[in-house]
Structure formats: C-alpha cells, structure tokens
Amino acid sequence: MGEPTPEQLRLLAVEVATAAGDLVSRGRPDRVEVAATKSSPTDVVTAMDTASEQLLRERLRAARPADGLLGEEEGHEPGSSGLTWVVDPIDGTVNYLYGLRSYAVSVAVVRSDGAPHPSTWTVLAGAVVDPSGGETWSAARGCGAWLTDARGTRALSVPSGPELGQALVATGFGYDARRRAEQAAVVARLLPRVRDLRRIGTASLDLCSVAAGRVDAYYERGLNPWDFAAGWLVASEAGAVVTDFAGGPAGDHGLLAAGRGLHPVLLEALR
Ligand code: LIP
C-alpha cells in the first residue's frame, strides 16, 4: 500500500488532535499541578501533557503502525515508513496551567530521510485544535488551509499585509533568562515601528492567527519542532511566507511568518 495522500493524512491529524483536545479541555482540573519542569523552572509539564501525548501515540500507532513519532514529552520513536508524526500534546502549557484560554493540541506529519528535522523534512499535513475557542485549523500540502468552527469550514487566505507601521505583530519568548533579555531588546527596537505587539503564548495558534489575518505577522526564536510543525503548514498553505531570519527554512534558530508584502520589510527590520 502506497503513501496516503496529504488529504487522508490531514483527516487523521484532525481526528487524533480533536480526541486529545477533548481530553485536555474536559479533563482540566480546577487547579492544574506542575508535574515536572524541563529546560528551566518555568518550563513546566502537567500530568495532562503526558496523558495527551499518550493518547496521541496510541491513536497514531493504531492507525499508522509503521510511522515514526516525535513528541514533546516522550521524544523520538523512529518508524520504517519514512513518515513521522510530530506532536505537541499541549502547546501553550503555561496558559493551560494558569487557566488562560490560548492553548492547543498540535499534530503534524512529515516525510523525512532519517531523523526528522525542520531543515530537511517535508510537512505533508497538520492540525491545530483550540478547544477553548472551538476552532480546528488544518492543512494538507498543496491542498490549502482550513478553519473549522461552529459556523462550518472555510478556506484560509493570508493578505499581503500592511506597511510596517500598521502591522500587528505576534511574538514569543523562550524560557532561558539570557535569551529573554536578548528578545526583550528586539522588542524594544521593534515596538515603536509597528502598530502593536501580541504575546499569545502558543506558537501553533500564533501561526494560525497569521493564516486567518488575526495578526499580520509572527516571529520567534527558540521554538521546538513540535511547536510549529503543524502551524507552519497552515500558515504556508494559506499563502504566508514562513522563513527563518535569513530567509531560509524556519527552525529553532528563527521563525518569521507574514504576508508576501510585509515579510521582506519585517525581515529587514528584525535584522
Ligand atoms: C510555547 C510556545 C510559545 C513560546 C513559549 C513555549 P509550550 O510552547 O508555543 O510560542 O513562546 O515559550 O515554548 O512550551 O507551551 O509547548
């Protein structure tokens, strides 16, 4: 049996991300406890992060047993099919911990030779489920990007973008104090030159917001592959330009997403 189509993969991504989104939203206790920390005392893991990733792995292993898996909490499990599922069980974990509404389950599937890495993988399909907002964002390579909510499903198309001074720009910050100081310096130089900044705290939703024109651009340095794999495809298939800060493939070293007219102007400003 050959490789499934991007549309078939998109439907599976939506199915499993929706199941995990139901789990984390319906199962959220009144007071979420920190189960562990990772790169810093503020880089937290909750029991629901772990439960959500276990559900994603179970569902994906049942549906696509030969595929690999790369997840935020349990790492990389190689497969034999050339496809790897890249999952963030709760993107926006700090928001989830505090009861803020902006968090999502992000599921992407990539084709790669060897270990999956953003510089060499091809993203085939992705889904970002926002349980609080009742919104499901999805995309299939070469087939477009979609938003599904209570009103139905509609195609996404990114406008070219305003001039820099009219641009609403989203960004985010890492967990490391030194990196945050550097990021604050970038914000200090950029803030006077744009309409305003937004810090949503969830990279996948930042990228989907670009796809829907809810922000004009999003940039961040230091993201993990699972933070942006699905949102990257949603924004790209909606017509955004998504690169690193040198105009190359986006990655943990840098990601900038914006409409075709705004992207080069903001790239220059960020340089
Ligand atoms: C988060 C990202 C966000 C970034 C946060 C954090 P997590 O991912 O989605 O864009 O600014 O620092 O990395 O840790 O909630 O999965």
Side-chain angles (χ1 to χ4, degrees):
M1 182 168 68
E3 187 177 278
T5 66
E7 176 57 14
Q8 290 169 325
L9 292 168
R10 181 187 73 85
L11 293 173
L12 179 55
V14 168
E15 177 191 330
V16 300
T18 300
D22 285 346
L23 172 73
V24 300
S25 58
R26 297 175 196 274
R28 186 184 184 283
D30 290 340
R31 180 168 176 69
V32 177
E33 299 295 335
V34 173
T37 59
K38 294 182 288 190
S39 64
S40 81
T42 55
D43 185 1
V44 299
V45 183
T46 71
M48 200 53 90
D49 285 279
T50 305
S52 173
E53 184 159 330
Q54 284 172 352
L55 182 151
L56 290 168
R57 287 178 180 264
E58 284 164 12
R59 294 287 184 100
L60 290 168
R61 207 175 283 122
R64 299 279 310 161
D67 293 358
L69 274 158
L70 172 60
E72 176 164 20
E73 310 311 339
E74 297 180 35
H76 183 215
E77 186 183 319
S80 58
S81 68
L83 300 187
T84 301
W85 292 86
V86 183
V87 302
D88 192 339
I90 301 179
D91 187 23
T93 300
V94 172
N95 289 343
Y96 184 78
L97 178 68
Y98 278 77
L100 295 171
R101 297 171 59 81
S102 295
Y103 65 88
V105 174
S106 180
V107 175
V109 57
V110 304
R111 183 190 306 124
S112 67
D113 297 325
H117 189 275
S119 61
T120 54
W121 72 29
T122 300
V123 186
L124 299 177
V128 176
V129 170
D130 168 1
S132 306
E135 295 180 326
T136 297
W137 309 82
S138 64
R141 185 178 185 81
C143 304
W146 312 89
L147 169 58
T148 299
D149 60 13
R151 292 180 289 163
T153 296
R154 54 193 178 281
L156 297 168
S157 180
V158 176
S160 174
E163 61 182 40
L164 188 62
Q166 297 296 310
L168 186 62
V169 180
T171 190
F173 311 117
Y175 290 110
D176 173 76
R178 276 175 303 146
R179 167 161 287 175
R180 292 169 71 82
E182 293 164 6
Q183 291 171 325
V186 173
V187 166
R189 288 197 301 275
L190 186 66
L191 186 58
R193 302 181 62 187
V194 297
R195 174 193 294 270
D196 205 349
L197 294 177
R198 292 291 183 271
R199 199 292 195 243
I200 296 172
T202 308
S204 56
L205 293 183
D206 286 310
L207 284 160
C208 293
S209 296
V210 172
R214 295 178 181 174
V215 294
D216 297 307
Y218 164 62
Y219 76 90
E220 186 161 353
R221 182 191 298 274
L223 291 174
N224 290 305
W226 43 80
D227 291 327
F228 66 83
W232 177 95
L233 188 67
V234 171
S236 300
E237 285 292 325
V241 178
V242 191
T243 67
D244 64 5
F245 299 143
D252 62 342
H253 59 292
L255 180 148
L256 170 61
R260 297 197 171 285
L262 177 60
H263 184 277
V265 177
L266 192 50
L267 191 64
E268 190 54 39
L270 287 171
R271 274 203 185 111

